[in-house]
Amino acid sequence: GAGVSQSPSNKVTEKGKDVELRCDPISGHTALYWYRQSLGQGLEFLIYFQGNSAPDKSGLPSDRFSAERTGGSVSTLTIQRTQQEDSAVYLCASSTRTSGAYEQYFGPGTRLTVT
Amino acid sequence: GQQLNQSPQSMFIQEGEDVSMNCTSSSIFNTWLWYKQEPGEGPVLLIALYKAGELTSNGRLTAQFGITRKDSFLNISASIPSDVGIYFCAGLEWETSYDKVIFGPGTSLSVIP
C-alpha cells in the first residue's frame, strides 16, 4: 500500500509568514511523529500523536510551532511567524506494532526555506 | 534528557571492506533501532532489537543490543557503493502508552569503489 506522504515537498517562504506542512500517514497506523532535520544534522523530535491520547509536545521549540491530527489520520504542522532558523527538512513518520514488532515509516520530508 | 552518541561521525571505506559503528546512551532503552538515510529521503528502518544481548541480521547487516541496554552496534559486511548514506541509531521507550523514539546524531558512510 501507499507509504507516508508529505506536502509540499519544498516550501520557500518569507520571514514572518505562517506555513502549514501536511502529513498523510499509512492507513491504520495510530502513531504519528514529526521531526526536524537541519542540514547535516540528526533528527530533532518535535511532537508525537498516539490514537486519541494527548500528544507529546515536549519537542516543539517554541510556541510558534503547533500541530494537529484530525480524525486520527492526517496531521498538519503549523509554524507561525517563520524565522530563518526554522529552515530545515521536516519529516513525518507513522508507526505501528505488529505482533510486538515495531515498524516505523518516514515520509520524504518537506524542505522549508525561510528567506 | 536522554542522549545518544554515535561513533564514528563519518567513515570512508573501500568497497568490499567490513564496517562497524557504535551507539551509546546515557540511559537504558528497551528497544534499539537502526536506520539508514539516503540523500533527499526519509530514514528507513533497517533493524529493530528488543532484548539485551540480542543479535539480529538483515542480509549483510548485523546489529546487537548491548547487555547493559545502553549500547548497540551495527556491522555491515562486504560493503558496496549503495551502502552510502547516514546511519542513525535510535532508542525506543514505551512510556505511558506511546513509543518515544530518540535518535542519535548519525554516522555518515562513504564507500569508495
Side-chain angles (χ1 to χ4, degrees), chain B:
Chain B
Q2 298 155 329
Q3 285 189 334
L4 297 183
N5 298 302
Q6 288 188 245
S7 63
Q9 287 186 331
S10 62
M11 305 178 74
F12 292 83
I13 63 168
Q14 292 285 340
E15 181 177 359
E17 290 185 354
D18 296 345
V19 173
S20 183
M21 57 188 79
N22 293 325
C23 184
T24 59
S25 169
S26 59
S27 57
I28 290 173
F29 288 105
N30 52 34
T31 299
W32 282 94
L33 308 168
W34 283 94
Y35 296 77
K36 177 188 178 186
Q37 184 178 30
E38 297 185 11
E41 300 182 5
V44 174
L45 181 59
L46 300 173
I47 291 179
L49 301 158
Y50 301 98
K51 296 181 182 179
E54 178 182 352
L55 186 70
T56 297
S57 294
N58 179 3
R60 294 179 295 105
L61 277 61
T62 302
Q64 184 159 29
F65 191 146
I67 293 176
T68 64
R69 296 170 64 191
K70 291 185 176 182
D71 63 331
S72 177
F73 72 73
L74 175 71
N75 287 343
I76 305 173
S77 63
S79 59
I80 59 178
S82 62
D83 291 332
V84 167
I86 301 175
Y87 290 80
F88 292 101
C89 67
L92 185 155
E93 282 196 344
W94 176 253
E95 287 189 7
T96 58
S97 81
Y98 72 88
D99 288 316
K100 184 171 185 177
V101 182
I102 306 297
F103 281 80
T107 292
S108 175
L109 176 64
S110 299
V111 179
I112 303 167

